[in-house]
Amino acid sequence: MNGSSPPEIGRFAEPALLILVSLADGPKHGYAIMTDVEAGTGRPLGPGTLYAALVRLEQRGLVEPLEPVDRRRPYRLTAVGETALSEQLRELSALAKLGLRQLNQGSR
Amino acid sequence: MRSLLLQLYPASWRSRYGDEFVALLEERPLGPFDVADVVLGALDAQLHLLGRKTTPDPAKGLAMTLRIGGYAAILGSLLWVLGFVAASSDKSEGVSPWAFFIVAGNAALLIALVGLSAFQARRYPKLVWAAFALPFVGNVVSMIGVLALVFADEGPFVAGFSPWEVWITGLFALVVGSGLFAFASWRTGSLSRAGAGLLALGAITLLVIIPGMMGLYSWDPLVSVGLFTTLAAFVGGWVIVGIGAVRSDRISLSSLPG
């Protein structure tokens, strides 16, 4: 976490990224993250996958737990998590632009 | 079931995440997808705790399960129909070697059902469980029937049923279950809907044909033509579902909301 670059999202990159995107608009507990991801992608995010990624995100300091409400514990993005997410999304956006440009050039 | 699944996780993991994880599992009924996902998650937690560097990625693990299920559906249905048609046409005395193709096809279809059912969405858990259990049981009974046809005497085999009756009962359950599986796949949209539609069509028409095979109405050439057309639809449905599963094995990031 030191230095100029934020920690990588790392293993479980895809579910982890989906979780970070879900938490971008505010804290959510596990079930809310699952339904949010399912609504956004149309694909189920299983509880085992969710917690495997969530544990790693917490260990890397990208998300932090809040006090549980009725056993349901919300998580929120940390400042480092926000930076890592925005950097990751910028990279994906640049990659998408590059890919689309290459595709357009290839189809000509 | 929930507490049993939780026990699969390491004790230290349970003491930190157990309460909230069980609360999450209680939010809605568990489907096969959830159970498979939690089992893989628990395996990951165990290996993660051991500090293993080769920790499996549940997302990749599930994708692999989907791929294996897809290949098993393709291979199983083709083996099954090949064995079924060839064994039906085999007039030679003694054990038909084609019967083993049917058994191998049944075994592969069992793998397909396990792999593909894990990916059915959780919106209709009862339907998804039924769509898994019925064809699974049908497959097992059908396999037992075929093996009994090969190895047992022609007389009563189990509970007064002959091997052939056991096989046809298993086949009936397999066909009804496949139709249910197709219906569940269609509703959840998790697998190929074209394949699910064809599979449902094949299953429904096979249900009309099976009584003819049982001698409940006269078996004429028209029934034979209908049988082979129906088998083509039934197997084609499984193959298309399998191909669709092999192709759709990862979450599409491009569908993320902007």
Side-chain angles (χ1 to χ4, degrees):
Chain A
M1 287 186 217
N2 299 328
S4 57
S5 61
E8 289 180 0
I9 290 173
R11 207 189 293 273
F12 294 86
E14 209 164 60
L17 183 59
L18 296 174
I19 292 167
L20 292 179
V21 168
S22 173
L23 294 178
D25 63 354
K28 289 184 185 72
H29 53 74
Y31 183 65
I33 297 172
M34 277 169 60
T35 51
D36 198 34
V37 168
E38 285 182 28
T41 64
R43 295 281 191 143
L45 174 67
T49 304
L50 169 71
Y51 264 82
L54 208 49
V55 168
R56 283 167 172 79
L57 289 171
E58 188 186 345
Q59 286 170 349
R60 287 163 195 257
L62 300 175
V63 302
E64 62 186 357
L66 301 174
E67 279 304 304
V69 182
D70 292 338
R71 293 191 301 150
R72 303 197 300 183
R73 188 189 292 279
Y75 288 82
R76 72 175 168 206
L77 280 185
T78 61
V80 179
E82 276 189 45
T83 310
L85 175 61
S86 61
E87 189 159 297
Q88 186 81 16
L89 292 178
R90 262 196 298 276
E91 281 176 14
L92 280 175
S93 174
L95 180 65
K97 280 178 190 159
L98 173 67
L100 288 169
R101 199 166 56 236
Q102 305 271 57
L103 270 175
N104 287 335
Q105 283 173 358
S107 60
R108 277 178 201 157
Chain B
M1 170 70 104
R2 290 173 181 85
S3 56
L4 194 68
L5 288 172
L6 184 64
Q7 291 305 314
L8 298 174
Y9 282 84
S12 59
W13 193 98
R14 292 200 304 270
S15 67
R16 164 63 184 83
Y17 298 101
D19 277 354
E20 57 189 278
F21 191 65
V22 169
L24 172 66
L25 296 180
E26 287 170 353
E27 291 281 358
R28 55 185 176 192
L30 289 174
F33 169 83
D34 301 289
V35 174
D37 189 71
V38 171
V39 169
L40 285 170
L43 177 67
D44 169 74
Q46 296 281 1
L47 294 174
H48 189 59
L49 197 74
L50 288 171
R52 294 267 295 267
K53 299 294 182 188
T54 53
T55 310
D57 182 336
K60 285 181 183 170
L62 287 175
M64 190 178 69
T65 311
L66 183 59
R67 226 171 293 142
I68 290 171
Y71 284 126
I74 297 166
L75 182 69
S77 55
L78 291 175
L79 280 174
W80 184 84
V81 77
L82 178 66
F84 184 86
V85 172
S88 303
S89 317
D90 190 355
K91 304 295 180 199
S92 61
E93 289 290 319
V95 176
S96 171
W98 297 106
F100 295 104
F101 280 71
I102 300 178
V103 174
N106 280 130
L109 284 176
L110 286 176
I111 296 169
L113 280 165
V114 172
L116 299 180
S117 293
F119 277 83
Q120 302 282 22
R122 288 160 291 176
R123 288 177 204 147
Y124 311 101
K126 284 181 185 167
L127 174 64
V128 169
W129 274 114
F132 165 75
L134 189 57
F136 193 92
V137 170
N139 247 315
V140 172
V141 173
S142 172
M143 280 171 78
I144 293 169
V146 173
L147 290 172
L149 277 169
V150 172
F151 295 111
D153 297 329
E154 285 197 1
F157 168 62
V158 60
F161 289 101
S162 69
W164 193 86
E165 286 167 335
V166 171
W167 173 72
I168 202 81
T169 305
L171 177 64
F172 191 78
L174 170 63
V175 170
V176 173
S178 295
L180 207 55
F181 181 83
F183 179 61
S185 301
W186 180 277
R187 287 207 74 174
T188 60
S190 301
L191 300 168
S192 163
R193 279 196 160 155
L198 193 59
L199 181 57
L201 182 71
I204 291 167
T205 45
L206 257 180
L207 287 180
V208 178
I209 298 288
I210 287 176
M213 294 167 66
M214 297 169 75
L216 294 180
Y217 58 81
S218 64
W219 186 269
D220 56 35
L222 196 62
V223 177
S224 296
V225 172
L227 173 62
F228 288 112
T229 311
T230 291
L231 282 175
F234 186 72
V235 171
W238 272 115
V239 169
I240 294 172
V241 165
I243 291 171
V246 170
R247 285 182 175 167
S248 63
D249 62 356
R250 63 191 299 274
I251 295 172
S252 171
L253 279 175
S254 61
S255 60
L256 272 171

